Amino acid sequence: MIETPSPNFDERQRPVSMLVLHYTGMPDAASAIEWMADPLSKVSAHYCVTEEGQVIHMVAEDKRAWHAGLAWWRGISDVNSASIGIEIVNPGHEWGYRPFPEEQISALIPLVHDIVQRHGITRGNIVGHSDIAPARKQDPGELFPWHRLARLRLALPRPTKNLMDPHWSDGGFLLALERFGYDINDPVAAIRAFQRRYRTEMIDGIIDGECRSILLALLLPQPQGDD
C-alpha cells in the first residue's frame, strides 16, 4: 500500500455503514491521484486502486473523505459521513470506458473484504456511485464485475433463481425501488442506475417484467443468484 495523503477531508458526523465504489473517470491514474491530493479540487477518497493493482491510501478511514457529493441511500443524505470511498482507476465513459484488469480486481477484493470486516458493512450497503447518485453518475459502470464480489459475499448478487414478476404498476416499482435504497426523484435515472447494477445487458430506463422480478427478489431476505 502506497501512502499519498490528501488534505481533502473533515470529521465524520455518522458511523461508517457503507462502502462506495467509484471509477476515477480521468485519462490516467497519475492525473486522478494528483487531483484527489490537490486542496483546490475539494474531492478525495480513502483509497485508490490502479489498473496494475497498486493500492493508494489517501484519507484515514476515521475521517470523512469527499467522494460521494450530492447523494442519498436508504435514508442517508450525508453519504460521505457514513461511508468509505474507493476510487478504481478507469477512464470511464467520457475517456474510453474499458474492462477492469484482473490485477486491479485482485487487489480490490481483499481491500473491500478488510473494510467490510472492520466496519461490519452489510452487502446491501456496498454500492456504486451510480446507486447513490443516479441522476449524476454512471460509475463504476456496467463493466464492473460485481459478480466477483458477490461470490465472496462482498456485494449483493444479481438474482437469477425462482424469479417471479409481481406485475407492479410503474409507480409501484418506483416505490419498491425507493424501499430498496434508491433516490427516485429522477425516475428514469433511478431505473437506469438499477439496471446498470443488476441488469447490465439492457440499460434503457424502462420498467419491464425482468426488472420487476429482479427487484422483488432483492427485497426478499436472501436474494438467490448464480454467484
Side-chain angles (χ1 to χ4, degrees), residues 14-15 29 41 62 65 82 103 109 119 135 139-140 158-160 165-166 170 177 184 186-188 206 223:
R14 304 179 64 100
S41 74
D62 63 344
E103 295 85 354
I109 284 173
H119 297 281
D139 55 312
R158 171 178 175 165
T160 57
D165 184 353
D170 287 359
L177 193 60
I184 61 167
D186 184 332
V188 174
I206 297 171

Side-chain angles (χ1 to χ4, degrees), residues 77-100:
S77 56
D78 184 1
V79 173
N80 281 334
S81 272
S83 66
I84 301 290
I86 301 177
E87 289 279 358
I88 306 163
V89 173
N90 188 292
H93 292 82
E94 184 177 357
W95 297 98
Y97 190 44
R98 59 191 180 220
F100 297 80

Side-chain angles (χ1 to χ4, degrees), residues 55-166:
V55 177
I56 316 298
H57 182 218
M58 304 195 75
V59 174
E61 289 186 13
D62 63 344
K63 301 300 181 183
R64 178 181 180 270
W66 303 339
H67 59 95
L70 183 63
W72 191 90
W73 184 254
R74 295 184 171 177
I76 294 175
S77 56
D78 184 1
V79 173
N80 281 334
S81 272
S83 66
I84 301 290
I86 301 177
E87 289 279 358
I88 306 163
V89 173
N90 188 292
H93 292 82
E94 184 177 357
W95 297 98
Y97 190 44
R98 59 191 180 220
F100 297 80
E102 176 60 34
E103 295 85 354
Q104 189 173 44
I105 300 304
S106 294
L108 175 68
I109 284 173
L111 176 62
V112 169
H113 179 268
D114 288 349
I115 292 168
V116 166
Q117 291 296 308
R118 280 197 299 274
H119 297 281
I121 300 170
T122 62
R123 290 189 297 166
N125 278 345
I126 301 170
V127 294
H129 202 185
S130 60
D131 295 317
I132 63 171
R136 299 189 302 111
K137 296 295 181 179
Q138 301 180 66
D139 55 312
E142 59 276 8
L143 296 179
F144 183 75
W146 285 106
H147 62 283
R148 294 277 303 277
L149 276 66
R151 287 173 189 159
L152 299 169
R153 299 186 65 81
L154 298 176
L156 286 173
R158 171 178 175 165
T160 57
K161 299 176 181 176
N162 305 317
L163 295 181
M164 180 181 66
D165 184 353

Side-chain angles (χ1 to χ4, degrees), residues 173-191:
F173 177 88
L174 288 169
L175 288 174
L177 193 60
E178 184 178 45
R179 178 184 172 193
F180 181 64
Y182 284 85
D183 176 359
I184 61 167
N185 283 315
D186 184 332
V188 174
I191 295 162

